[in-house]
Amino acid sequence: MRFTEDLGSSHGWRLRRGVLDDGREVFAKSGTASSGVFASEAAGLRWLGEAIAVPEVIEVGPGRLVLSWVRQEPPGAVAAERFGRALARLHRAGAPAFGAPWPGFIAELPMDNSAADDWPSFYASRRVLPFLRMARLPASDVALVERAVERFAEVAGPAAAPARIHGDLWSGNVLWSGGSAVLIDPAAHGGHRETDLAMLELFGLPYLDRVLGAYREEWALAEGWRERVPLHQLHPLLVHVVLFGGGYRESLMGAVRRVLAL
């Protein structure tokens, strides 16, 4: 493989564009990674790739992940609608349980993917509470988050089977390509489908209204899903507090208060 462009770095990993001996363009992520992080990403991509467009995993090892290059194009309404339908089909592909049979990571942070019997307990014990312990928030904030966690079973909406979700579906992990979208950098696991939709809304996505409209035409959402958006944003906001500091505290606590008001 010959590297052709340095793409900078992310979370301490070096990002490069390259060309294989057979002429295929690739994306390479390399560096000292937490044990299993590249293998986890590769497993998630392969699993998601059974139901939606993702880059091909060409090579994975402790120090490097090589993926097929994604040629990007501007987003558009038609592509957004195609993505919405594809995302609904991905979620409907399902998962054996809440969790995954591989170790979880979001960025470089480990996540517990061990299975749980229901989504509210999975979300509380595997996602929200572990990151709350890492977030170094004031005691008063911690108490409010814990009060919200106690309400998860009450406010989570109708019980749902595990969906096959991306798990870190912010706009930067949606590449517009081929008249639709290609998903990258997953934290894939069996989860709640509303989690992916809430993540798209958290940081915005071009033509999000078209994505959501097409999604709902493909697979209707349970009543009250919009009111539950802050519930599903608690984990990604906690992740951002852990990674980037107190600048995200206000957004987190706003979401907490909205959960408590449900």
Side-chain angles (χ1 to χ4, degrees):
M1 178 169 55
R2 174 174 57 86
F3 293 115
T4 60
E5 184 179 1
D6 191 331
L7 302 173
S9 63
S10 176
H11 301 287
W13 305 317
R14 187 176 183 183
L15 311 179
R16 289 179 288 182
R17 185 174 182 172
V19 179
L20 299 180
D21 292 343
D22 62 11
R24 286 182 293 167
E25 284 194 291
V26 295
F27 168 83
K29 181 189 297 188
S30 60
T32 302
S34 300
S35 178
V37 65
F38 291 156
S40 177
E41 182 176 342
L45 285 170
R46 288 166 174 151
W47 188 55
L48 297 179
E50 296 173 3
I52 201 168
V54 300
E56 177 190 357
V57 177
I58 295 171
E59 176 191 325
V60 60
R64 188 166 75 178
L65 177 66
V66 180
L67 307 173
S68 59
W69 183 260
V70 177
R71 293 189 175 275
Q72 298 185 60
E73 59 197 24
V78 173
E81 291 170 0
R82 287 174 179 160
F83 171 46
R85 290 189 289 271
L87 185 61
R89 291 192 292 270
L90 168 69
H91 291 165
R92 189 169 252 161
F98 293 107
W102 53 80
F105 290 87
I106 189 161
E108 72 270 28
L109 301 175
M111 295 192 301
D112 184 356
N113 271 348
S114 57
D117 292 334
D118 61 85
W119 182 77
S121 62
F122 174 83
Y123 190 55
S125 64
R126 312 292 197 267
R127 294 295 182 262
V128 173
L129 290 176
F131 285 84
L132 178 61
R133 289 191 287 269
M134 289 188 280
R136 298 182 180 179
L137 292 167
S140 57
D141 289 354
V142 171
L144 280 178
V145 176
E146 290 175 340
R147 280 179 53 197
V149 169
E150 291 172 359
R151 299 202 65 212
F152 281 1
E154 178 185 352
V155 302
R164 188 173 306 204
I165 73 169
H166 179 280
D168 190 14
L169 197 58
W170 72 289
S171 58
N173 288 341
V174 178
L175 304 184
W176 299 101
S177 181
S180 183
V182 175
L183 304 187
I184 62 169
D185 290 345
H189 63 279
H192 199 302
R193 62 190 180 121
E194 292 176 12
T195 296
D196 274 350
L197 303 182
M199 189 69 169
L200 286 175
E201 192 163 311
L202 183 58
F203 297 112
L205 182 79
Y207 300 97
L208 180 58
D209 57 335
R210 296 293 189 101
V211 173
L212 295 175
Y215 183 105
R216 293 161 64 195
E217 289 176 3
E218 184 75 23
W219 190 12
L221 289 160
E223 185 177 352
W225 70 273
R226 283 198 178 276
E227 288 71 28
R228 291 188 293 273
V229 166
L231 168 66
H232 292 271
Q233 291 178 343
L234 293 181
H235 175 240
L237 285 169
L238 275 165
V239 169
H240 278 70
V241 171
V242 173
L243 287 173
F244 305 115
Y248 287 92
R249 174 185 170 271
E250 185 175 342
S251 295
L252 168 66
M253 299 315 297
V256 168
R257 287 188 286 271
R258 291 194 295 275
V259 171
L260 289 170
L262 290 174

